[in-house]
Amino acid sequence: EEAPEVVRRLKGMGFKVGIISGDSEENVRRVAEALGVDMHFSGVLPEEKVGIISRMREKGGVVFVGDGINDAKALTEADIGVAMGSAMDISALAGDAVLLKNDLRGIPFFMELLRKSHAKVVQNLFWAFVYNTTLIPVAALGKVSPEMGAFAMSVSSLSVVLNSLHLKRIFARLEF
């Protein structure tokens, strides 16, 4: 019942959304139209899911969400495999992440958390690069004392940790 909201949110985040199912064309088409997804595949065997995902990966990153033993191979083929809480053990092991609640609203939450985490990693790498390309050569030339160099390194490390801790506040504001 939460699927229409989830599809709308994911599309609003810039994702293309699709359905890959072993179900009949008529059933899959009906659901796809009701949800407004971008693409759908029906009558697909587990091995065929892997091929579809592989072809999609050539066009960009793929996140695959599955909940059954038939999804295990597809979960490993995707760039990010997400197993739902009701997933069979093998699917949960095959995925990169497991949503513990059996609620599709966890998917946009998870994707937003990934985006925010990635942004923090990029920020931290940028500031570490700035530090290493400016302060280390200055210290190597003897322009600062070893104590000041150690202090600057400590401040650099502290800034990375504090910037990463900001994710905790971002995480609290995300809706799920």
Side-chain angles (χ1 to χ4, degrees):
E1 59 197 46
E2 69 271 10
E5 171 194 346
V6 170
V7 169
R8 183 181 44 75
R9 286 181 62 194
L10 288 171
K11 290 177 94 174
M13 294 168 74
F15 291 101
K16 289 186 178 181
V17 181
I19 298 172
I20 304 175
S21 175
D23 213 347
S24 71
E25 170 63 25
E26 181 181 330
N27 288 341
V28 175
R29 185 175 18 83
R30 185 174 32 82
V31 171
E33 288 172 359
L35 295 176
V37 297
D38 300 300
M39 66 201 99
H40 68 277
F41 304 88
S42 59
V44 179
L45 297 172
E47 300 79 32
E48 294 170 326
K49 289 180 183 182
V50 172
I52 291 169
I53 290 170
S54 180
R55 287 190 299 278
M56 286 182 178
R57 286 183 70 194
E58 294 172 4
K59 299 175 186 173
V62 174
V63 177
F64 181 82
V65 180
D67 67 352
I69 195 163
N70 292 336
D71 296 325
K73 287 183 181 179
L75 287 165
T76 60
E77 179 65 23
D79 293 299
I80 301 173
V82 181
M84 294 299 293
S86 64
M88 301 298 293
D89 287 342
I90 193 163
S91 294
L93 292 172
D96 299 303
V98 178
L99 295 179
L100 298 178
K101 289 184 179 179
N102 213 19
D103 187 336
L104 293 174
R105 289 174 291 201
I107 298 165
F109 174 83
F110 177 68
M111 297 311 298
E112 188 63 23
L113 184 60
L114 285 177
R115 282 184 171 176
K116 300 287 186 183
S117 298
H118 180 262
K120 287 295 173 192
V121 168
V122 170
Q123 289 171 7
N124 288 340
L125 286 173
F126 171 78
W127 288 113
F129 179 77
V130 167
Y131 169 80
N132 287 324
T133 57
T134 57
L135 294 179
I136 289 178
V138 170
L141 292 172
K143 302 293 183 183
V144 296
S145 69
E147 294 83 9
M148 286 304 290
F151 176 75
M153 184 62 158
S154 297
V155 169
S156 172
S157 296
L158 184 63
S159 69
V160 167
V161 169
L162 291 175
N163 191 36
S164 298
L165 285 173
H166 186 248
L167 274 176
K168 193 173 180 180
R169 278 200 266 154
I170 292 170
F171 181 72
R173 288 193 310 251
L174 292 176
E175 293 178 25
F176 177 50

